[in-house]
Amino acid sequence: MMKETIVLRVDSQKPDLEKIAIAADFIRKGMLVAFPTETVYGLGANALNAEAVLAVFEAKRRPLDNPPIVHVCNMKDVYRLIKEMPPNAEMLMKEFWPGPLTLIFKRSRIVPDVTVAGLDTIAIRMPRHNVALALIEKSCCPISAPSANLAGKPSPTMAKHVLDDLDGRIDAILDAGPTRIGVESTVLDLTVDPPQVLRPGGTPYEELRRVLGRVELNPIAIAEKPIPVERARSPGVKHKHYAPNADMVVVEGDSDAVVSKVKELIRLYDGEGKRVGVLATDETVRRYTTDVVKSLGSRSDLEGAARSLFRLLREFDADGVDIIVAEGVPVEGLGLAVMNRLRKAAGYNIVKV
Ligand code: TXA
Ligand code: MG
């Protein structure tokens, strides 16, 4: 059923409180509101209202076994959602919240099953964005929010992306312009010892290691091929993800070798009559002559690459390319999150040179 999606434009620093009040009223009534965070836009519903959370899954066409993240505006709101506070959790929250770090806890009884997809754990984070924080506070409830895209599509970093996927399927969107980080939060499982990164994201692994000492990267976080479902602790990882409509291949290795291989692939696909798009970097972008070439930014600015990645994947689709040939970037800092998304978007179609 189609509904009218109301667009509420707000300032990202000092949001108009009347518009926040309208959006919060929607949340309290069990309706669906997309809102910006520092990472990507989320599709929010009252996390304690099972029907509203179910409607989020339906709007996104998201498989019911993949739980969303619950967003809070305050550290103290975590206690009633969890069964016990694991060691290091309070220290991590003080160090990284508000910010792009999602923590996995054992969940409490007040959390509806659908909110956690029937698991006995819950993913919680406090976003670093004035609009998100104001919305959660005014709604007076924790807000369950997966990324505000149709399941399988790249996450939205602008309100336009949300509307392209969900216009007519949600009640409102708070539009505060492009998001700052561009990849989703890092998901850290605190129910295992040592803690494990299930999804690399906006909080670099190096930062977690500095603060925690002992922390592991789950194999799926650095996977170069699909991981068997039983080893994938984070439910989301087994589903198709971040995929543009175009096919995609990632070329990884030293810069010069990568450029040669990308050129070779362009010739190959051209010869097959395909429209080819290249995802390059500032250092290499001028070395390609095919008509659709986009740059992720400098190889030495991985934060910039993270910020542009999902927008560029969507732009390739708008350009109607059949295949995207993407250069890999170094797997350090936010580069790990970028490569995790690129490899998944390519369905692990990776060429190493
Ligand atoms: O930055 C973000 O995290 C964005 C913004 C909106 O906050 N949200 C986001 O949500 O990316 P979503 O639903 O697209 O991704 C949530 C991830 C999925 O990979 C899911 O499997 C994992 O978190 N997750 C959620 N609950 C979990 C749990 N109890 N145990 C393990 N993984 C969980
Ligand atoms: Mg998502």
Side-chain angles (χ1 to χ4, degrees):
M1 198 191 63
M2 294 296 274
K3 38 176 135 185
E4 190 199 348
T5 301
I6 298 171
V7 178
L8 301 161
R9 288 208 176 74
V10 288
D11 186 274
S12 64
Q13 295 301 315
K14 279 195 165 177
D16 177 346
L17 293 181
E18 272 174 41
K19 292 182 180 163
I20 295 290
I22 295 170
D25 194 44
F26 279 13
I27 294 281
R28 277 195 305 271
K29 288 180 175 142
M31 294 156 78
L32 309 186
V33 178
F35 62 95
T37 76
E38 78 280 38
T39 57
V40 301
Y41 276 77
L43 178 57
N46 178 350
L48 302 178
N49 176 339
E51 256 178 70
V53 176
L54 187 61
V56 168
F57 281 91
E58 284 167 358
K60 282 191 53 133
R61 304 205 185 99
R62 179 172 172 118
L64 280 167
D65 64 353
N66 187 12
I69 292 166
V70 174
H71 296 67
V72 297
C73 63
N74 210 303
M75 245 176 78
K76 70 177 190 328
D77 293 341
V78 171
Y79 292 86
R80 66 188 183 126
L81 300 172
I82 68 173
K83 199 169 134 201
E84 68 212 3
M85 189 59 79
N88 288 330
E90 282 168 323
M91 181 271 288
L92 285 167
M93 291 190 275
K94 282 192 190 114
E95 184 83 14
F96 292 103
W97 283 10
L101 180 66
T102 294
L103 301 173
I104 308 286
F105 301 90
K106 292 258 168 59
R107 62 123 154 180
S108 76
R109 291 275 182 77
I110 70 160
V111 182
D113 280 338
V114 60
T115 300
V116 292
L119 299 177
D120 59 3
T121 53
I122 181 170
I124 308 179
R125 85 174 189 103
M126 190 197 310
R128 191 179 200 94
H129 195 295
N130 287 350
V131 174
L133 292 171
L135 176 67
I136 302 164
E137 183 163 26
K138 192 76 186 163
S139 302
C140 303
C141 61
I143 294 185
S144 195
S147 49
N149 50 282
L150 281 175
K153 292 283 152 207
S155 294
T157 58
M158 306 195 297
K160 176 186 182 301
H161 301 159
V162 178
L163 292 169
D164 285 346
D165 282 12
L166 299 175
D167 194 12
R169 305 175 66 86
I170 63 177
D171 297 292
I173 174 168
L174 285 161
D175 175 359
T179 60
R180 187 168 53 80
I181 293 178
V183 291
E184 305 88 340
S185 61
T186 299
V187 176
L188 181 68
D189 188 351
L190 296 179
T191 69
V192 291
D193 182 39
Q196 255 193 22
V197 171
L198 301 182
R199 177 179 74 181
T203 299
Y205 179 59
E206 293 88 339
E207 293 268 297
L208 294 176
R209 223 175 27 205
R210 174 178 61 78
V211 169
L212 280 173
R214 289 170 67 244
V215 54
E216 286 177 354
L217 271 176
N218 186 282
I220 52 123
I222 42 173
E224 297 182 359
K225 53 181 180 329
I227 295 276
V229 168
E230 58 278 12
R231 284 179 60 202
R233 290 182 51 87
S234 190
V237 305
K238 66 176 184 260
H239 298 291
K240 182 173 171 249
H241 248 103
Y242 313 119
N245 296 323
D247 287 334
M248 197 167 152
V249 51
V250 185
V251 182
E252 302 181 15
D254 286 339
S255 210
D256 282 333
V258 165
V259 171
S260 306
K261 181 52 102 178
V262 170
K263 286 182 172 172
E264 184 189 321
L265 291 173
I266 295 171
R267 278 195 300 276
L268 173 75
Y269 295 127
D270 257 345
E272 294 175 359
K274 289 184 177 146
R275 185 167 160 79
V276 186
V278 175
L279 184 58
T281 49
D282 286 355
E283 288 82 356
T284 58
V285 70
R286 273 174 298 277
R287 298 171 68 180
Y288 304 117
T289 50
T290 188
D291 32 305
V292 187
V293 185
K294 301 177 192 295
S295 175
L296 264 181
S298 169
R299 281 172 80 87
S300 59
D301 175 17
L302 297 169
E303 292 182 3
R307 196 176 304 126
S308 318
L309 176 68
F310 288 139
R311 175 176 51 78
L312 294 177
L313 291 182
R314 282 177 180 259
E315 286 178 6
F316 279 115
D317 276 345
D319 292 335
V321 307
D322 302 305
I323 180 136
I324 302 167
V325 183
E327 292 181 3
V329 297
V331 285
E332 57 200 40
L334 289 196
L336 181 64
V338 170
M339 283 310 290
N340 167 274
R341 308 308 187 269
L342 275 179
R343 287 167 175 165
K344 274 195 203 172
Y348 300 98
N349 190 8
I350 299 168
V351 178
K352 295 235 180 200
V353 289

